[in-house]
Amino acid sequence: MARNPQLNSHGGLRHLLSIEGLPREIVVAILDTAEPFTEVAEREVKKLPLLRGKSVFNLFFENSTRTRTTFEIAAKRLSADVINLNVSTSSTAKGETLLDTVDNLVAMQADMFVVRHASSGAPYLIAQHLEATRRPNVHVVNAGDGRHAHPTQGLLDMYTIRHYKRDFTQLTVAVVGDILHSRVARSQIHALTTLGVPEVRAIAPKTLLPSEVERLGVRVFHDMREGLRGVDVVMMLRLQNERMTGSLLPSPQEYFKFFGLTEDKLALAKPDAIVLHPGPMNRGVEIDSAVADGGQAVILPQVTFGIAVRMAVMSMLAHG
Amino acid sequence: MELPEAERLIEQLVAQMRPAISADTALVGIHTGGAWLAERLHAELRIAAPLGNIDVAFYRDDLSGRGLHAKARRSDIPFEVEGRPVVIVDDVVYTGRTTRAALNELFDYGRPARVDLAVLVDRGGRELPIDARYCAHRLAQPLAPNRNLRLERDADGAFSLRLIDTR
């Protein structure tokens, strides 16, 4: 495998596995490529021929509605054939290994895999296997692996921030909530630092922060009010109840009191600050409905931009 | 080779197009030279419909060889295509593949009543059954494939043609 498994020999995008390790130029190229794709949704025929004749396999080993749907829409707007594998009811349940599944789908002329897996590194394993079996024209997109990375979410968040704020190098951005369990947070932090955001803040209770989180280049705050002061962008995370083991939190009500985004806490940020959330939201836990539905929230535009960003990633993979 | 003066060619093109323009005719310029030319024609011909622009980057038939350009422009068709006569504008027509890509893209917005092509120069070398209804200048001899003929626009908005050897 080449030194950077995500890039081909010409420095183009070969797989999208994580934002960590992606050169800044590639991240910017993805955002730039996504720009004209936002217009396709306004056409009579919402299709471009960029992936015509290609087969995209959505391999979701873990549940997801929004991510799978937006990948499916993105691939279909590029004219690809999309095959959704409901993995929990497929051969994996009968004992087939991940790589056997991949080999079988490659034998069915798969051109691209969109992979969501509960284990960190599963998409890397597939990419490595495709390299080892000399399948240079089959590409992998990580749609979320364990606690590791969710690069297209990080990229669509960057697209959203750029859309409203233009210049990354003047911003203070806060990532708030369950950073410990969040692959989204990791992708966001890597993307923000790659794009030159001078101050990234991590706001969370001690129990929901990974050890040595400062090494990612963030300033840590345990007091949300202090952390939100003067920020341009508030990136809320979902409280991942399903990933929690043991008693990391007293109760959702207690969490909301200290780390839920309410209008009075948001008032400490800059007046034109925007609020992002990757969804699905736990209203009344990490975010108050008044904020989620308020004028500073850009949560629904995030979803729309997510389609254009996923179109950009898939076209860049297919056309190197 | 002596190149004709672009500003003179534009005058001729305007004269050719004027009698055929109807009240609902719309112009669509192909990025970039065609878009500049379309802007000028739109003003000279006093076209009522807003000006359209197309970047055919996503519709090219040679993507696998050339790859995707990161800086593709957003196509902008600010009028109802359905049932309307449309003139696609480009600076130079060569193989016809760009025109083919523009036609495909245009039809994704609706079914136009008719589509014509307007160009300043036909350089020969067509590889598709495409012809420019409005054309200010046809080269007597087709240009060799390694020569690139294109429109340029200076800071004052004045046009000129430029011939570049690509090898």
Side-chain angles (χ1 to χ4, degrees):
Chain A
M1 188 167 254
R3 244 169 311 164
N4 191 336
Q6 304 200 84
L7 302 183
N8 61 28
S9 51
H10 319 292
L13 201 59
R14 163 108 169 76
H15 304 291
L16 179 67
L17 306 175
S18 77
I19 292 174
E20 188 179 11
L22 273 193
R24 186 175 174 280
E25 308 81 70
I26 295 270
V27 175
V28 172
I30 294 171
L31 303 185
D32 288 346
T33 304
E35 225 282 316
F37 289 142
T38 55
E39 173 269 333
V40 176
E42 294 155 29
R43 300 183 184 191
E44 174 81 19
V45 179
K46 296 174 182 50
K47 273 200 194 289
L48 295 174
L50 285 170
L51 259 62
R52 205 157 69 93
K54 307 275 187 210
S55 300
V56 175
F57 282 73
N58 272 335
L59 269 179
F60 278 61
F61 296 89
E62 197 185 62
N63 284 335
S64 155
T65 308
R66 181 175 335 222
T67 303
R68 191 185 57 69
T69 309
T70 49
F71 265 110
E72 181 171 352
I73 294 171
K76 285 182 168 169
R77 290 218 175 130
L78 294 169
S79 310
D81 292 316
V82 182
I83 298 95
N84 289 309
L85 269 85
N86 192 351
V87 183
S88 57
T89 59
S90 76
S91 307
T92 311
K94 299 176 189 165
E96 187 174 76
T97 70
L98 175 62
L99 296 182
D100 279 336
T101 304
V102 166
D103 283 339
N104 275 278
L105 298 175
V106 169
M108 296 176 206
Q109 273 77 43
D111 296 291
M112 201 176 291
F113 292 110
V114 177
V115 183
R116 157 77 55 104
H117 204 288
S119 302
S120 301
Y124 274 92
L125 188 69
I126 296 174
Q128 229 156 19
H129 179 69
L130 291 170
E131 206 75 34
T133 52
R134 291 170 206 275
R135 301 285 186 184
N137 297 317
V138 185
H139 309 279
V140 178
V141 184
N142 182 359
D145 62 331
R147 293 186 192 180
H148 170 243
H150 191 352
T152 57
Q153 179 70 47
L155 289 165
L156 77 88
D157 292 336
M158 297 310 112
Y159 187 95
T160 307
I161 294 173
R162 193 172 79 164
H163 179 84
Y164 292 100
K165 298 290 173 196
R166 299 283 152 210
D167 184 6
F168 287 103
T169 65
Q170 307 290 326
L171 297 179
T172 303
V173 179
V175 181
V176 187
D178 182 2
I179 294 168
L180 177 64
H181 299 97
S182 179
R183 54 192 172 211
V184 172
R186 255 163 281 262
S187 289
Q188 288 169 336
I189 291 167
H190 284 300
L192 291 165
T193 49
T194 302
L195 290 169
V197 172
E199 184 165 339
V200 183
R201 301 178 181 177
I203 305 176
K206 284 198 177 73
T207 50
L208 292 182
L209 273 175
S211 56
E212 300 189 57
V213 65
E214 290 89 348
R215 285 175 57 183
L216 296 176
V218 297
R219 262 183 85 188
V220 173
F221 290 83
H222 299 303
D223 180 335
M224 187 170 180
R225 290 176 185 277
E226 201 186 316
L228 286 181
R229 199 152 283 140
V231 303
D232 300 278
V233 179
V234 185
M235 305 180 83
M236 298 305 298
L237 297 169
R238 193 170 66 87
L239 196 63
Q240 311 226 4
N241 286 311
E242 72 277 14
R243 284 179 215 281
M244 292 210 189
T245 49
S247 51
L248 293 171
L249 287 177
S251 73
Q253 293 75 22
E254 188 82 354
Y255 182 81
F256 182 70
K257 189 178 160 203
F258 290 104
F259 292 97
L261 185 62
T262 52
E263 283 182 315
D264 68 304
K265 291 195 196 99
L266 181 57
L268 297 163
K270 287 205 183 130
D272 63 348
I274 53 171
V275 177
L276 288 79
H277 191 295
M281 284 187 280
N282 297 308
R283 288 170 184 260
V285 180
E286 72 262 358
I287 190 163
D288 190 27
S289 277
V291 175
D293 304 328
Q296 287 172 267
V298 295
I299 297 166
L300 293 175
Q302 278 178 274
V303 178
T304 309
F305 294 148
I307 295 171
V309 167
R310 289 175 174 125
M311 287 171 76
V313 167
M314 289 194 272
S315 2
M316 285 172 69
L317 289 172
H319 298 289
Chain B
M1 189 185 75
E2 184 108 355
L3 287 171
E5 200 192 312
E7 292 290 338
R8 286 271 307 280
L9 294 183
I10 293 173
E11 277 174 38
Q12 290 170 28
L13 193 59
V14 167
Q16 273 183 38
M17 291 173 75
R18 199 184 299 279
I21 296 298
S22 65
D24 55 349
T25 299
L27 302 188
V28 174
I30 299 178
H31 181 72
T32 41
W36 294 336
L37 179 59
E39 206 181 307
R40 174 73 75 85
L41 295 174
H42 189 263
E44 300 262 340
L45 292 164
R46 297 177 196 286
I47 304 275
L51 177 62
N53 278 300
I54 273 184
D55 185 330
V56 299
F58 301 138
Y59 287 77
R60 298 195 63 90
D61 56 14
D62 53 359
L63 271 173
S64 46
R66 293 162 51 114
L68 194 64
H69 291 276
K71 279 284 181 192
R73 306 292 180 93
R74 161 196 294 259
S75 293
D76 181 26
I77 307 293
F79 52 81
E80 188 72 45
V81 170
E82 197 73 30
R84 191 188 286 275
V86 176
V87 182
I88 293 176
V89 179
D90 208 352
D91 49 357
V92 177
V93 62
Y94 174 29
T95 61
R97 288 174 194 268
T98 301
T99 313
R100 193 283 308 167
L103 278 167
N104 276 33
E105 180 155 4
L106 185 65
F107 274 70
D108 283 351
Y109 289 87
R111 180 182 185 274
R114 65 171 291 151
V115 184
D116 292 299
L117 176 64
V119 298
L120 274 195
V121 181
D122 179 351
R123 59 168 282 183
R126 211 80 79 247
E127 294 167 359
L128 291 171
I130 278 168
D131 194 28
R133 182 179 178 194
Y134 312 105
C135 173
H137 186 76
R138 270 174 234 277
L139 297 187
Q141 293 291 322
L143 278 181
N146 64 332
R147 314 198 80 189
N148 180 3
L149 178 64
R150 67 171 189 226
L151 189 65
E152 302 213 321
R153 184 167 77 169
D154 69 17
D156 304 324
F159 289 111
S160 58
L161 284 165
R162 189 156 169 228
L163 192 58
I164 298 156
D165 284 321
T166 53
R167 265 195 304 244

